[in-house]
Amino acid sequence: MEPKLETKCSFTYKAWLGKISSSRKFKVVGDDACDFAAAECKHGLGDLAVDKNENGDFTVNLAVSDQLTAESFSLVGAADSLTITGGDKIGLLYGVYKFLALLRQNADITAITNITKNTITEKPAIANRILNHWDNIDGSVERGYAGRSIFFRNNQLNYSAERLTDYARLLASVGINQICLNNVNVYLESAKLITEEKLPDLAKVADIFRPFGIRLIIAVHFESPVLLGGIQTADPLDEKVAQWWQNATKLVYKYIPDLVGFLMKADSEFRSGPAAMGRTQAEGARPIAKALQPFGGIIYWRCFIYNCMQDWRDTKTDRPKAAYDYFFPLDGKFEDNVILQIKHGPSDFQVREPNSPLLGAMKHTPQNMELQITQEYTGQQKDLYALAVQWHEVLEHPVTETRNTRDLIGTDKEIVALSAVANVGDDENWTGHLLAQANLYAFGRLTWNPNLTPKQLTEEWIACTFGNNPKLLAPLTEMMLQSRSVYEKYNAPLGIGWMVNIHHHYGPSVDGYEYMKWGTYHRADTKAIGVNRTGIGTGYTTQYQPYVRDMYENIATCPQEILLYFHRLPYDFLLKSGKTVIQHIYDTHFEGVEEVEQFIKTWDSLKDFMPQVAHETVKERLFMQLENAKEWRDVINSYFYRKSGIADEKGREFYL
Amino acid sequence: MEPKLETKCSFTYKAWLGKISSSRKFKVVGDDACDFAAAECKHGLGDLAVDKNENGDFTVNLAVSDQLTAESFSLVGAADSLTITGGDKIGLLYGVYKFLALLRQNADITAITNITKNTITEKPAIANRILNHWDNIDGSVERGYAGRSIFFRNNQLNYSAERLTDYARLLASVGINQICLNNVNVYLESAKLITEEKLPDLAKVADIFRPFGIRLIIAVHFESPVLLGGIQTADPLDEKVAQWWQNATKLVYKYIPDLVGFLMKADSEFRSGPAAMGRTQAEGARPIAKALQPFGGIIYWRCFIYNCMQDWRDTKTDRPKAAYDYFFPLDGKFEDNVILQIKHGPSDFQVREPNSPLLGAMKHTPQNMELQITQEYTGQQKDLYALAVQWHEVLEHPVTETRNTRDLIGTDKEIVALSAVANVGDDENWTGHLLAQANLYAFGRLTWNPNLTPKQLTEEWIACTFGNNPKLLAPLTEMMLQSRSVYEKYNAPLGIGWMVNIHHHYGPSVDGYEYMKWGTYHRADTKAIGVNRTGIGTGYTTQYQPYVRDMYENIATCPQEILLYFHRLPYDFLLKSGKTVIQHIYDTHFEGVEEVEQFIKTWDSLKDFMPQVAHETVKERLFMQLENAKEWRDVINSYFYRKSGIADEKGREFYL
């Protein structure tokens, strides 16, 4: 069952699509092709929109033009009017949302006039902008911290159509155009989503999302031919298996003709897959990819494969190496419509990781970089954690001396898709922690434009949600931008990761995963901590391009905040900061708590700029975060004090 | 859900009541009052019993006589006959089981003749010989390692009457005369066992157990007046609450007139209780006790109360002190029909604990010493662990200079009841691990006669189950008697306890409970380990009588195997064995694994003395145990090596 937060999380279903204030009246004009966009525009304007027979102060002209590419739009302004042109209906819709967002963010007439002085043209950076729900068909949500599923209950599609429409609008407003409703961990009942039993219901959800330019993906079970087809094997080289996938896929496209395709987690964490049958991942994907080709379908194939039954005594095997070891040799061997879905880091959405060396390494296989919006290891939507800051680092992470990860993103480049695990549930405000909405917002916007900075993204969300009063905007932006660093300070130190309570992953447990089979070890002893992952260690660094390899190999050039990911160091090792490793651990853990205390003060000062219920729900979470931060501080510091025997330079209290 | 063992556990439903071989034919004779005992005798004799019209070689005369006390019996032998006399029908039944057990254990004619030469008279040491099932009404079993409940499914009584009859016979054959079917953790559905909704079904189970001399106990919920009665409060001083308990109890006795009474876990591990309402435990028990008095009913009131939300930073609070602190001041304040149910140790059924200082301390309040047959912390019926050895130590544990705990047991003494948590489920052999049957057997026999030695108990069970061939009996007895020491060797060292994986309690996790709220801390640092529980430490030792207090206070007299329960000691502290603490840890953990390897060899040598299926199922478990022992060895040794930095004197391998 999913963990259920007990706090009331009320604010608004509308999230950042809130009410716009203006003294102007807007008239929306356009031909039949623009009907849906016009309706959405009027919906967004609310009572500022006037009927076509009335006089408005400002005219919004809508048009579709094949001069623009699909999904793109332009806004061309004049004194009292604006023309929004889309390359297609969906592009037009995006243009409308852009216009509405600008209105929300600049809620006065001067601002609107300024906006409309300049022509704005936008197109998405890539075609595949994807949200992955980890919703189970029983209604629970794996790693969900915002209530139960908005799609499923009791092994069926079961939802409020009104709420899903709101959700589709929310996602479209930030550029998301693909969604997978069901968990990548597919079990028998969710495997049936591709059968006659469930497809009619699923098709109705597709109908809700379609006008918003959002198409469905279905996560499928590798053993489907066995589970659903009654075939003896799921061996991808078996002709009956190929035939079964063809028939199954045909049926799916009969119900959902614009389906994006399938998503597969195979050979991963006890999921079955081709490896168990002695087949490669490329062979495993082939029959499914081929079945999708007649329909223009894609299969997203996850690369999160590693030995989750590792003997902790084994110091040769190194989990971060696994994905590269499995997939790099297969470059070019996949069908063209297979897109490899690669987690941004080689571990698993930790607070601090390097990028996966697989990203950009494969030249003949398109890639989908997977991020995680749901805060599994990053505070579970009890703690404030603005992911935009971390994602910015991910995008800036070098691949070679001249290219960073952002440079890989593009329709004709290595990374053709961006996906993320949703942080949404049936809590009234969608995300449990109200400010965690900003993470969903930021992810969508980044898929559209990866050049947006954390500051821009955070300010946009705040202005859309609470308005643009600088007295709110400046301190709240600062607090949110700081939140990743604060969480990192009281979490596992220097990039080492994983020091969490097992299974649920909230709260500290330094040895929680240390003697287990998951391949996640810090190997701290009385003198030192960390695993040497250089060429003379596990060899993980050698999977990177030379520039990055050398950066991480060398203690002098390895960024301090990730030093223990790559190097085993004694507690008295002197960091560039001038502090020893152990003193760094002690200091950051005290600082983290103090900074959360400062968050509470900052938040208190913002009380007058938002509805009371919004202020209270976040305040409640900040107090939870304070408790969590203290627990981290005391457990981590006491653990290392007990282990190293080294006292704090400042003589602060540890617990024995 | 309960953990489900995956192994096939087949052997026999009949457990130690197996087939008897003899060349003689037995004729069973007795009047009408002896009918049930006669039927049981013939059932036990199987095809050795002849009809009353046939000629037997040996006559078994059954009789009931008021010359003997209730539940007692005598066996008086002659050349070709035996007279079994019971003080009542149940005493007669016990006499019959005694006769059958002797036959099973001595399966030849000479032996039988020898038996019948001497008069045997027996009576039970105490009147209350109790098995506590922790079965949930949904069919799961809390801390159950032998399948699902034999009583419940889907919130209902749901069982095989044939199997329950077998079970009743099994329990009666070792002297158990009271049983509680439902978990002490009572939830809404099981709370309803005292209502019209469930009582008719429960009465049918009472009917099955009754002829075997076994009466039911019902575990009840403290909040029953609220949950079931719709009253606003469960405050024991509220007259409506008292009235509700009277009505409820009357109803229960209407359906089950010979019910023993109720069992209550209150104010314990998140269970509600009188403390929450500012009432003492004595006040809490009173209205329920009074409601039971008209029916001669008892309430067993558990003393397992402690702060399970302790801050691990708090070094003043010491969980082992809790039960004494709560209950000792209340001595004499309870109603006469309240019996306090006290776990034998102050912690929670660890491998090594001192006895609870509460046992024997209260002079005006009858006590029920609670043991645990189900192997929660002792190998979960995957690892071999003969509890008789540990229970022997519990009974031998001193209370004063002149009395040990065994001396407290008796109808007119402090301990008037013995109870234990059952290790039984719907696995075919009842207990998952076939040899774990011996623990159920030993507990029953000890309630009847606490003077039986571990060796006697183990030999009896082996002989009943597999026969008395010395080639089997001697090595298997030795192996089983050794098993507690072997498990202890690879477990937490020197009585420190608790180094287990959280929640499920199987396998090592040295810091698993170290930074949690459960009050179970070893506080190991780079120099030392343990908590000082002496008068200058937490003061726990001062709860004992002076003789015991002084023994534990003084490092020189504190038994070595429990030293770290009472004292914080440096790793280089020299034990009486001549080893340092750290070297003791290393050595015992290597020895433990080696001794399990020896178990496997021993077991292999016994293959020809038992059915193949019995041999295989145990062998499978022994291999699981070997894996478990290795995991314990390596985790514990590596943990302490990493923490202390002290190398093994023998240079064996640790893992970093």
Side-chain angles (χ1 to χ4, degrees), chain A residues 3 104 125 162 166 197 202 216 227 326 384 416 480 510 543 554 581 591 593 643:
Chain A
R104 277 191 304 276
E162 189 188 346
D166 275 338
E197 183 183 319
L202 193 61
L216 298 196
L227 294 175
Y326 270 103
L384 180 63
V416 302
M480 290 174 69
V510 181
Q543 293 183 341
N554 188 335
V581 164
E591 286 163 21
V593 173
K643 201 148 205 170

Side-chain angles (χ1 to χ4, degrees), chain A residues 209-338:
Chain A
F209 280 105
R210 187 172 294 110
F212 293 93
I214 299 171
R215 296 189 295 146
L216 298 196
I217 299 164
I218 305 176
V220 294
H221 196 301
F222 188 80
E223 294 275 344
S224 292
V226 178
L227 294 175
L228 307 174
I231 298 173
Q232 297 280 325
T233 175
D235 184 345
L237 299 199
D238 189 300
E239 185 46 42
K240 287 193 296 297
V241 170
Q243 189 59 54
W244 187 88
W245 279 111
Q246 283 168 37
N247 294 340
T249 306
K250 197 186 239 175
L251 182 72
V252 172
Y253 276 86
K254 192 183 106 188
Y255 281 98
I256 310 173
D258 62 347
L259 187 88
V260 177
F262 298 144
L263 169 58
M264 176 73 83
K265 177 177 181 177
D267 283 318
S268 170
E269 296 181 334
F270 309 109
R271 311 304 301 165
S272 59
M277 296 152 197
R279 311 304 183 192
T280 69
Q281 299 299 311
E283 288 169 334
R286 185 156 298 125
I288 314 173
K290 279 182 171 291
L292 286 159
Q293 282 163 3
F295 308 98
I298 288 167
I299 179 153
Y300 295 110
W301 193 270
R302 288 176 99 236
C303 298
F304 188 54
I305 301 185
Y306 65 96
N307 177 10
C308 65
M309 293 292 283
Q310 182 177 340
D311 189 328
W312 60 270
R313 302 166 190 83
D314 166 12
T315 54
K316 300 282 176 284
T317 304
D318 191 20
R319 171 168 162 178
K321 296 172 72 177
Y324 187 95
D325 283 345
Y326 270 103
F327 284 92
F328 183 71
L330 297 173
D331 192 15
K333 302 224 163 87
F334 289 91
E335 293 293 313
D336 288 346
N337 61 330
V338 180

Side-chain angles (χ1 to χ4, degrees), chain A residues 312-313 514 526 634 642, chain B residues 313 514 526 631 634 642:
Chain A
W312 60 270
R313 302 166 190 83
E514 187 60 13
T526 192
D634 293 340
R642 292 183 188 188
Chain B
R313 301 166 189 83
E514 187 59 13
T526 193
E631 191 67 11
D634 293 340
R642 292 183 188 188

Side-chain angles (χ1 to χ4, degrees), chain B residues 354-413:
Chain B
N355 275 17
S356 169
L358 200 54
L359 288 166
M362 304 178 83
K363 296 301 173 193
H364 310 290
T365 314
Q367 293 153 42
N368 171 0
M369 182 162 75
E370 182 179 316
L371 307 170
Q372 190 186 45
I373 317 177
T374 195
Q375 292 171 235
E376 178 176 359
Y377 293 95
T378 54
Q380 303 200 351
Q381 283 138 257
K382 291 179 186 162
D383 297 31
L384 180 64
Y385 192 106
L387 280 155
V389 175
Q390 183 166 5
W391 294 335
H392 182 73
E393 292 161 1
V394 168
L395 293 169
E396 298 270 305
H397 191 283
V399 179
T400 65
E401 189 162 4
T402 54
R403 288 182 93 200
N404 67 19
T405 304
R406 186 185 289 113
D407 299 329
L408 304 179
I409 299 171
T411 301
D412 299 324
K413 297 186 185 174

Side-chain angles (χ1 to χ4, degrees), chain B residues 20-128:
Chain B
I20 299 166
S21 304
S22 171
S23 58
R24 292 207 172 181
K25 292 287 177 186
F26 297 85
K27 181 176 234 166
V28 181
V29 178
D31 66 16
D32 289 357
C34 306
D35 275 359
F36 187 78
E40 280 297 295
C41 191
K42 287 178 199 159
H43 179 276
L45 291 166
D47 51 19
L48 305 182
V50 296
D51 195 71
K52 58 183 172 182
N53 304 320
E54 292 177 73
N55 289 326
D57 307 313
F58 192 98
T59 305
V60 183
N61 298 301
L62 304 185
V64 171
S65 160
D66 56 13
Q67 300 294 305
L68 295 172
T69 54
E71 294 193 313
S72 70
F73 63 83
S74 69
L75 306 188
V76 181
D80 287 319
S81 73
L82 174 75
T83 301
I84 307 177
T85 312
D88 54 9
K89 286 183 185 182
I90 301 304
L92 176 62
L93 191 63
Y94 289 139
V96 164
Y97 291 134
K98 177 74 184 184
F99 166 63
L100 292 170
L102 289 169
L103 281 179
R104 278 191 303 277
Q105 292 162 27
N106 304 278
D108 65 71
I109 295 170
T110 325
I112 295 167
T113 313
N114 285 337
I115 295 162
T116 54
K117 267 187 205 154
N118 302 301
T119 295
I120 296 172
T121 55
E122 284 194 23
K123 62 174 180 178
I126 41 172
N128 305 298

Side-chain angles (χ1 to χ4, degrees), chain A residues 305-306 310 317-325 345-348 353-358 498 518-521 531 533 538 540-541 543-544 565-566:
Chain A
I305 301 185
Y306 65 96
Q310 182 177 340
T317 304
D318 191 20
R319 171 168 162 178
K321 296 172 72 177
Y324 187 95
D325 283 345
S347 293
D348 186 16
E353 293 187 41
N355 275 16
S356 168
L358 200 53
W498 295 113
W518 297 93
T520 55
Y521 313 113
V531 171
R533 294 199 160 100
T538 69
Y540 168 63
T541 53
Q543 293 183 341
Y544 286 100
Y565 196 97
F566 289 98

Side-chain angles (χ1 to χ4, degrees), chain B residues 241-389:
Chain B
V241 170
Q243 190 58 52
W244 187 89
W245 279 110
Q246 283 168 37
N247 295 339
T249 305
K250 197 186 240 175
L251 182 72
V252 172
Y253 276 87
K254 191 183 105 187
Y255 281 98
I256 311 173
D258 62 348
L259 187 88
V260 177
F262 297 144
L263 168 60
M264 176 74 81
K265 177 177 181 178
D267 284 317
S268 170
E269 296 180 336
F270 309 110
R271 312 302 302 165
S272 59
M277 297 153 197
R279 310 305 183 193
T280 68
Q281 298 299 312
E283 288 169 333
R286 185 156 298 125
I288 313 173
K290 280 182 172 291
L292 285 159
Q293 282 163 3
F295 308 98
I298 287 168
I299 179 153
Y300 294 110
W301 193 270
R302 287 177 100 235
C303 298
F304 188 53
I305 300 186
Y306 65 97
N307 176 10
C308 63
M309 292 294 282
Q310 181 176 340
D311 190 328
W312 60 270
R313 301 166 189 83
D314 165 13
T315 54
K316 299 282 175 286
T317 305
D318 191 20
R319 171 169 161 176
K321 296 172 72 178
Y324 187 95
D325 283 345
Y326 271 103
F327 284 92
F328 183 71
L330 297 174
D331 191 17
K333 302 226 165 83
F334 289 91
E335 294 292 312
D336 288 346
N337 61 330
V338 180
I339 300 182
L340 293 184
Q341 186 161 328
I342 305 167
K343 290 194 183 190
H344 68 82
S347 293
D348 187 15
F349 302 131
Q350 301 298 294
V351 175
R352 176 74 62 177
E353 293 188 42
N355 275 17
S356 169
L358 200 54
L359 288 166
M362 304 178 83
K363 296 301 173 193
H364 310 290
T365 314
Q367 293 153 42
N368 171 0
M369 182 162 75
E370 182 179 316
L371 307 170
Q372 190 186 45
I373 317 177
T374 195
Q375 292 171 235
E376 178 176 359
Y377 293 95
T378 54
Q380 303 200 351
Q381 283 138 257
K382 291 179 186 162
D383 297 31
L384 180 64
Y385 192 106
L387 280 155
V389 175

